[in-house]
Amino acid sequence: MIQTEAPKSGPQGWMRPCGSLSDKKDSVGAIAPGVMRFGVLTEKGHAEVHERPLPEPGPEEALIRQEACNICTTDYQQWLGQREGRGYPIACGHECAGTVIKTGEKVRDLQCGDQVALAYITCGICEGCKRGIGCSNNEIGPRQQSHDGYRGIFGYADYAVRPARALVKIKRELSPGEAAFMEPLATVMKGLEKLRVKALETVVVIGAGTMGLLNAQAARAFGCRVIVSELLDNKIALARSLGFEVIDGKTAEPASEVMRLTDKAGADAVIVAVAAAQANQQALDMAKHLDGRILYFAAGYPAPEIKIDSNIIHYRRLELIGTFGAELPHFYAAADMLNQDRVKVSQLLEGSRYPLEKIQDAFAEAARPGKYRVSVLLN
Ligand SMILES: [Zn+2]
Ligand SMILES: [Zn+2]
């Protein structure tokens, strides 16, 4: 374990004490220790636990006892050495949820004991934030480097101080691992907004991994007919158990199967939720002949190609749409989807959970092909 000097934070002494929580059913009970312990990628293939002093929350911040952080593709691809652009050491992890245990005195809409999930940490004052097009402030969020040398936002930390505006309430009926799906689901809400799905449209989702099945469930919640295409048997089985029409890409050619299922009409919209050149090609072939829309949801390393000439885009009036990330309204929309059980995520979590001490094993598990989300339990 590595100890570092206390991080700078808001003015000390501003926090509002929670009072006694012991009489509440969802009581936190615990008093935060003076240190926070967190998972760090120190180099390719190596995750370990470090600790540093735990700061007090500033007036507009809250202290969170973090309960779970799910391992995103972004994180395990860095662990695999495929996606190292963010550098090391990185206190990564961003799909996290926990319980509010202390609030700064200007925090109005969070109470101690609330379960919250973390949205993106933004400055709230730059041009991008004001216009709702993403924070461009490098001093904050995942691009920042802390004074003690870490990149990342300390997703795999047992305790963390967060800006209150980046915390969104999730009902207690959901486990912390389920609540942590707010972030990936927010990116889905952003993508569906860009794709402009409408009720009664036929949407094909290629890939029944975590992001594919989040997209599929959210599109269904919008009133679409959703067809899922997948190659792996365990993912086909899960997609079917969630009630979707599923094309088994091993036994049928997905594009012609979509044509058959839609009486040759094709899909109004296709969501490519797997990073593969073949999927990119299938999407072009299964979108309806005129005015089809295709959303590219996944990133792959090395980058998959799309081969299409611009005449085809022109004559078919195709829309090729990219998406990545989300803005604050998408996090609230995602929280609504979870809180209203419109999207169910319990089956998107792998059964094996890992305590923080076993974070290296958790990464190894997450990086195995065909896995759904692996959860690191932080408390
Ligand atoms: Zn993620
Ligand atoms: Zn900003």
Side-chain angles (χ1 to χ4, degrees):
M1 237 173 253
I2 295 177
Q3 278 248 338
T4 56
E5 142 205 6
K8 291 180 185 78
S9 131
Q12 304 287 301
W14 279 97
M15 73 275 180
R16 192 200 307 154
C18 279
S20 167
L21 289 157
S22 52
D23 52 339
K24 289 186 193 164
K25 201 174 168 212
D26 57 356
S27 137
V28 221
I31 293 161
V35 293
M36 57 190 275
R37 305 174 65 245
F38 53 97
V40 180
L41 294 184
T42 54
E43 59 183 339
K44 172 184 169 180
H46 189 73
E48 62 187 32
V49 179
H50 290 190
E51 69 176 50
R52 57 164 21 185
L54 179 67
E56 291 289 345
E60 294 176 358
E61 294 177 327
L63 174 62
I64 306 303
R65 188 174 87 151
Q66 301 210 128
E67 317 276 358
C69 186
N70 299 338
I71 301 182
C72 179
T73 315
T74 331
D75 289 341
Y76 76 69
Q77 283 180 338
Q78 179 160 1
W79 185 86
L80 285 168
Q82 296 167 346
R83 198 166 171 165
E84 296 184 289
R86 298 182 299 172
Y88 298 102
I90 182 163
C92 57
H94 55 269
E95 300 184 2
C96 48
T99 300
V100 176
I101 59 168
K102 230 183 236 181
T103 55
E105 77 166 18
K106 290 187 179 168
V107 176
R108 290 285 167 266
D109 48 1
L110 293 176
Q111 304 292 324
C112 294
D114 285 344
Q115 173 159 263
V116 288
L118 183 63
Y120 294 154
I121 298 172
T122 55
C123 74
I125 53 172
C126 75
E127 196 65 15
C129 280
K130 283 188 213 157
R131 292 181 185 274
I133 52 172
C135 183
S136 54
N137 189 340
N138 286 327
E139 305 294 302
I140 196 163
R143 290 183 292 264
Q144 97 188 99
Q145 189 165 16
S146 66
H147 78 285
D148 47 358
Y150 295 100
R151 299 174 192 282
I153 58 165
F154 299 86
Y156 303 106
D158 57 355
Y159 290 86
V161 170
R162 306 292 191 190
R165 68 173 173 276
L167 298 168
V168 185
K169 283 188 226 177
I170 304 288
K171 66 177 179 180
R172 276 273 160 212
E173 286 77 8
L174 295 178
S175 71
E178 292 170 319
F181 275 86
M182 182 185 70
E183 188 274 337
L185 187 54
T187 67
V188 167
M189 302 311 289
K190 168 81 181 179
L192 292 181
E193 180 183 280
K194 292 200 72 183
L195 191 59
R196 310 186 310 284
V197 292
K198 294 187 284 290
L200 306 182
E201 284 193 325
T202 298
V203 175
V204 178
V205 178
I206 305 178
T210 305
M211 299 316 300
L213 291 179
L214 287 178
N215 267 290
Q217 292 190 73
R220 182 164 63 187
F222 277 93
C224 300
R225 174 192 183 187
V226 179
I227 300 169
V228 175
S229 175
E230 173 57 54
L231 288 167
L232 297 177
D233 288 332
N234 68 319
K235 294 186 174 179
I236 289 170
L238 180 52
R240 287 211 172 107
S241 80
L242 289 169
F244 293 109
E245 293 173 79
V246 181
I247 297 169
D248 180 344
K250 297 189 297 307
T251 56
E253 199 291 302
S256 34
E257 191 62 6
V258 167
M259 289 301 162
R260 189 184 70 78
L261 290 168
T262 58
D263 274 333
K264 300 195 177 114
D268 296 293
V270 182
I271 300 171
V272 185
V274 60
Q278 194 188 13
N280 290 344
Q281 202 55 48
Q282 289 167 1
L284 295 169
D285 296 340
M286 63 176 63
K288 62 184 178 182
H289 184 67
L290 286 178
D291 298 314
R293 288 133 34 218
I294 301 175
L295 183 70
Y296 295 93
F297 199 91
Y301 297 83
E305 293 198 327
I306 306 172
K307 289 212 173 71
I308 185 169
D309 68 59
S310 58
N311 281 357
I312 293 176
I313 298 175
H314 168 77
Y315 285 119
R316 287 182 60 192
R317 306 192 306 228
L318 271 173
E319 290 184 62
L320 309 186
I321 302 169
T323 193
F324 169 69
E327 275 76 57
L328 201 49
H330 307 114
F331 285 93
Y332 279 92
D336 288 345
M337 291 288 237
L338 292 172
N339 287 331
Q340 296 164 16
D341 299 316
R342 289 166 189 262
V343 171
K344 300 221 167 86
V345 296
S346 58
Q347 288 166 285
L348 302 180
L349 276 172
E350 291 293 337
S352 37
R353 313 284 157 82
Y354 293 83
L356 180 55
E357 294 67 37
K358 300 264 182 205
I359 190 161
Q360 172 72 359
D361 297 344
F363 269 91
E365 160 102 348
R368 280 167 52 203
K371 287 285 163 185
Y372 286 95
R373 281 294 190 270
V374 169
S375 209
V376 180
L377 300 183
L378 303 165
N379 265 288

